[in-house]
Amino acid sequence: MTITRKLPFAAAILCALAACTSMEPASRPTADAQRLEQRAEREAERGNLRAAAEAYAELAAGTSGPTRSGHAIEAARLYIELGDLATAARLLDQARASADPLQRQMVTVLLARIELEQGRPQQGLDMIASLGQPPVPVLREAAAVRGLALFRLNRFAEAVSTLVEREVWLDEGEEILANQRLIWQGLSLYRDDEPPPRTGDAVVDGWLALAPLARAALDPETLRRELLGWREAYPNHPAARGVLAEQLSAQRGAGVFPRQVALLLPLTSPQREAAIAVRDGFLAAHLLSPSAGASTVRVYDTGTLGAVEAYARAQREGAEFIVGPLLRPEVEQVATQAGLVPTLALNFAEQQPPYLGSFYQFALYPEDEARAVARHAYAAGARRAIALVASTDFGYRLLNSFREEFELLGGRLVDFDGYDPGVQDFSAQITSLLRLTRSSQRHQRLQANLGVPLDFEPRRRQDVDMIFIGADDARSARLIVPQLRFHFAGDIPTYATSTVYEPGDPARDNDLNGLIFTDAPWLLRQEGVDDPLQRELARHWPRRAQSWLIRFYGMGIDAYRLVESLYDSSRTIWPMQGVSGLLVLDDAGRIHRELPLGQFRAGRPVAIATAYEGAEELASSRPR
């Protein structure tokens, strides 16, 4: 196969070199030196290697001691990537004169790399062997050079073993992916039709089995089919979730839509109503899409087949993109099988899967709503909050998410209480939270001391400026809100999530008047959001348009639109507006929603605020 990117040795050793060469300077650098160093780092990040190398060489010329050696090593590393081996060797010779012990070992590693580039892999291998047992920062870079040298000596099993072992010393997903690229490029040097002999190590043998594919120039469809066969023999191999997914992605043409999409849903299960709504929204979006004529959608029932079998069958039958499954346990089952076909799961796994370059997760995640409430409330001036939440796992998840976000912003949750969702009277929890019980106790003591009856009106606490209700159903919210008003808290801004709203009879929701909550733009009739699919839904399925299922119908529409964005990610601008909210992709492949605010007025939800304006800055800070 044609290699799609140059050997990323510079990227693979960037972090280690920073650890090895960033020594404390003997004296405080001048302002000019600081600016020059910042420019060198900036140019390196942009990929302007020559400009960065020249800046580091200039820094080396103006410093001394280990600081000089560190800058010279950085410059030499970049010159090696540029193919200017003579300049790199000269800089390394200069660096050795003033290097500390760690830097001298790094000089040896880079000189070994030069031997490799000059066609002398055995000499490079001998130089790495002379290091003995260096510390980990040097060891992991020495292992990279050793693995490359072994590949060029046609010692493929040893080379793969060396680089597989190297991953023990790598921490970040990008570092591991860069290491996999080294293995894939090394395997492209293999020239036989049959793979090298097996070693007995499943991971190493899986890599070796890829050797004939790595050197072959296969079209994307043939490569994908061959890799699916390989995956059956090595079902949990890390390559499928990393470099192989990257190779398949690189072969997709820009501006294309997958020819076949698989939709995995539990259509015969207790969650069938939600699953059918997602399916209908997805298919409605497909039928109105310009890609409909050139693309097909196949639906697989995970309730009948099971998630793992449905996922495997979709791949075998030619799916170029998979959407689903919907239920969290199903997502966790297929996460370990993902990689070769880009996938958009419709829920979040409990534990974030290992780095997966083509596995995305999209969910109507209630924790996102609680965080959105915290941001909106803080932006409106709230700094001290109390909370009343259902005494359920769901209620406490909402509470923890709200508190984490609110306190991160600078607010404080001063008190909270849990309630039994099965009861109708919440007076005990409300009076305790509002400190009305203490007010009544003070009145009773005073009346007893004076011995005469006293007129009394309870006084609630005055040190909070918002209330958060973490309800797990609308029934409880309809009871709690009037009881808050009865207990003198009607003037405190009160917030909740979308669970308090069940589209239907406005007269039933009059008890919620004044309550502020987050929900999808569709349900809040947000001004400026006019989707033809929503009009079609209201015209043909009015009962569905006025039920909780509309959220899942909208999720299906957004899932279809996300297929196009994720399949050709070069055209996507995040955040993107969806019918479920403003969609934000984080660096772990999870798609979160930023939601607008609504308020109940005369029993109807009215939009009062758009989605959080800083959505694009939140993606990298999401909890994982």
Side-chain angles (χ1 to χ4, degrees):
M1 169 181 294
T2 302
I3 302 303
T4 59
R5 42 197 317 174
K6 185 183 175 183
L7 182 65
F9 189 83
I13 68 174
L14 182 60
C15 295
L17 282 175
C20 290
T21 62
S22 296
M23 307 298 177
E24 281 295 320
S27 60
R28 185 180 180 84
T30 65
D32 287 343
Q34 286 181 323
R35 283 193 293 270
L36 186 58
E37 186 168 3
Q38 290 170 358
R39 179 162 64 86
E41 293 171 354
R42 186 170 58 251
E43 295 294 350
E45 290 174 358
R46 292 173 176 172
N48 300 328
L49 301 190
R50 184 165 298 281
E54 291 171 352
Y56 279 121
E58 186 177 344
L59 281 165
T63 52
S64 61
T67 303
R68 172 189 174 90
S69 296
H71 293 317
I73 288 171
E74 285 286 352
R77 174 178 63 83
L78 295 170
Y79 277 117
I80 290 173
E81 293 305 312
L82 291 165
D84 190 346
L85 304 181
T87 301
R90 177 175 55 78
L91 285 164
L92 290 172
D93 188 55
Q94 294 173 4
R96 182 185 286 154
S98 56
D100 62 25
L102 196 64
Q103 289 173 329
R104 282 197 293 273
Q105 290 179 319
M106 186 55 69
V107 167
T108 299
V109 171
L110 292 179
L111 288 172
R113 174 74 193 285
I114 290 175
E115 293 291 330
L116 197 62
E117 295 301 320
Q118 291 179 331
R120 298 188 291 271
Q122 186 59 56
Q123 287 86 332
L125 204 59
D126 293 342
M127 292 178 71
I128 294 298
S130 72
L131 291 171
Q133 293 295 323
V136 168
V138 176
L139 187 61
R140 62 181 180 177
E141 306 321 316
V145 177
R146 182 173 188 272
L148 293 174
L150 289 168
F151 273 126
R152 298 190 187 188
L153 291 169
N154 295 323
R155 294 159 61 177
F156 289 92
E158 292 177 75
V160 171
S161 295
T162 297
L163 293 175
V164 167
E165 291 172 4
R166 181 176 181 262
E167 288 193 9
V168 173
W169 306 309
L170 304 178
D171 300 321
E172 301 296 328
E174 183 56 39
E175 291 177 345
I176 293 172
L177 182 58
N179 191 64
Q180 291 184 359
R181 293 186 194 120
L182 294 181
I183 299 175
W184 182 256
Q185 185 158 350
L187 290 173
S188 69
L189 301 175
Y190 192 71
R191 291 295 175 263
D192 292 336
D193 294 329
E194 295 297 322
R198 296 186 178 186
T199 66
D201 183 304
V203 175
V204 174
D205 290 344
W207 279 113
L208 294 175
L210 290 169
L213 297 180
R215 75 176 182 87
L218 301 177
D219 62 86
E221 179 59 31
T222 302
L223 175 63
R224 189 180 63 82
R225 189 169 57 250
E226 292 291 334
L227 289 177
L228 287 173
W230 168 85
R231 185 65 177 270
E232 291 183 3
Y234 302 95
N236 297 311
H237 200 279
R241 301 191 297 271
V243 70
L244 297 183
E246 183 180 69
Q247 291 291 315
L248 290 169
S249 176
Q251 292 197 357
R252 294 199 293 266
V256 300
F257 191 85
R259 290 170 295 178
Q260 183 172 312
V261 179
L263 181 61
L264 278 56
L265 294 168
L267 298 171
T268 54
S269 74
Q271 295 80 23
R272 66 182 304 272
E273 284 189 290
I276 290 172
V278 171
R279 179 199 64 188
D280 291 350
F282 193 91
L283 294 177
H286 171 66
L287 292 174
L288 290 181
S289 169
S291 305
S295 177
T296 59
V297 176
R298 288 191 179 184
V299 181
Y300 297 81
D301 180 11
T302 59
T304 301
L305 297 172
V308 173
E309 173 56 27
Y311 193 79
R313 183 176 296 185
Q315 293 183 88
R316 289 195 301 269
E317 294 179 355
E320 294 183 352
F321 198 105
I322 297 175
V323 178
L326 178 65
L327 306 180
R328 177 171 287 185
E330 294 178 339
V331 173
E332 292 171 346
Q333 291 170 20
V334 306
T336 58
Q337 306 300 314
L340 298 184
V341 177
T343 299
L344 175 64
L346 298 178
N347 213 318
F348 288 167
E350 188 71 36
Q351 299 295 324
Q352 177 64 20
Y355 176 81
L356 301 173
S358 60
F359 185 74
Y360 306 93
Q361 300 171 72
F362 170 49
L364 303 183
Y365 197 45
E367 285 88 337
D368 282 344
E369 299 186 30
R371 292 179 185 279
V373 165
R375 287 189 289 274
H376 281 297
Y378 189 86
R383 296 297 181 268
R384 294 171 63 85
I386 55 176
L388 182 61
V389 302
S391 295
T392 61
D393 175 68
F394 182 86
Y396 288 119
R397 281 165 52 198
L398 292 180
L399 174 67
N400 291 336
S401 297
F402 168 79
R403 173 166 50 188
E404 183 178 282
E405 189 73 12
F406 193 61
E407 294 185 347
L408 181 66
L409 292 168
R412 182 185 170 200
L413 180 67
V414 297
D415 200 2
F416 72 91
D417 204 348
Y419 67 84
D420 181 353
V423 304
Q424 296 189 13
D425 184 1
F426 306 98
S427 298
Q429 291 83 3
I430 291 173
T431 56
S432 175
L433 277 175
L434 296 174
R435 293 184 178 170
L436 292 171
T437 304
R438 298 183 188 181
S439 178
S440 298
Q441 290 171 345
R442 286 194 298 271
H443 166 253
Q444 292 169 4
R445 286 196 302 269
L446 181 60
Q447 186 168 262
N449 290 336
L450 295 175
V452 294
L454 299 172
D455 290 335
F456 172 69
E457 181 175 296
R459 177 178 171 82
R460 65 165 175 81
R461 68 191 302 164
Q462 301 295 311
D463 62 338
V464 297
D465 39 31
M466 73 160 289
I467 301 172
F468 174 62
I469 298 176
D472 58 1
D473 60 18
R475 184 199 70 87
S476 296
R478 294 191 195 102
L479 295 170
I480 290 172
V481 173
Q483 291 181 41
L484 284 170
R485 286 196 291 267
F486 177 80
H487 288 99
F488 312 102
D491 60 336
I492 303 177
T494 303
Y495 293 79
T497 63
S498 65
T499 51
V500 302
Y501 178 40
E502 291 179 352
D505 183 7
R508 184 182 56 178
D509 290 330
N510 275 322
D511 286 336
L512 295 172
N513 285 342
L515 181 66
I516 304 167
F517 70 109
T518 54
D519 212 329
W522 268 26
L523 280 88
L524 295 181
R525 300 179 179 87
Q526 188 175 0
E527 192 172 335
V529 178
D530 181 25
D531 196 294
L533 287 167
Q534 187 178 17
R535 294 197 303 272
E536 290 296 305
L537 177 67
R539 179 166 43 178
H540 297 295
W541 295 286
R543 292 183 60 186
R544 181 180 294 172
Q546 291 298 321
S547 79
W548 61 275
L549 290 172
I550 191 174
R551 296 186 180 96
F552 288 95
Y553 187 87
M555 184 187 195
I557 293 172
D558 280 346
Y560 186 84
R561 293 170 176 174
L562 283 167
V563 170
E564 185 173 23
S565 298
L566 298 172
Y567 194 68
D568 180 16
S569 58
S570 64
R571 297 192 305 164
T572 305
I573 299 176
W574 298 95
M576 59 180 291
Q577 182 64 60
V579 298
S580 303
L582 193 65
L583 306 182
V584 184
L585 177 67
D586 71 16
D587 57 4
R590 288 187 169 190
I591 297 164
H592 299 265
R593 297 177 301 146
E594 295 300 328
L595 298 171
L597 278 187
Q599 186 175 40
F600 285 99
R601 297 174 182 173
R604 295 180 179 274
V606 177
I608 61 173
T610 59
Y612 181 68
E613 293 181 355
E616 61 273 20
E617 284 125 29
L618 292 169
S620 62
S621 63
R622 294 285 183 186
R624 294 194 162 169

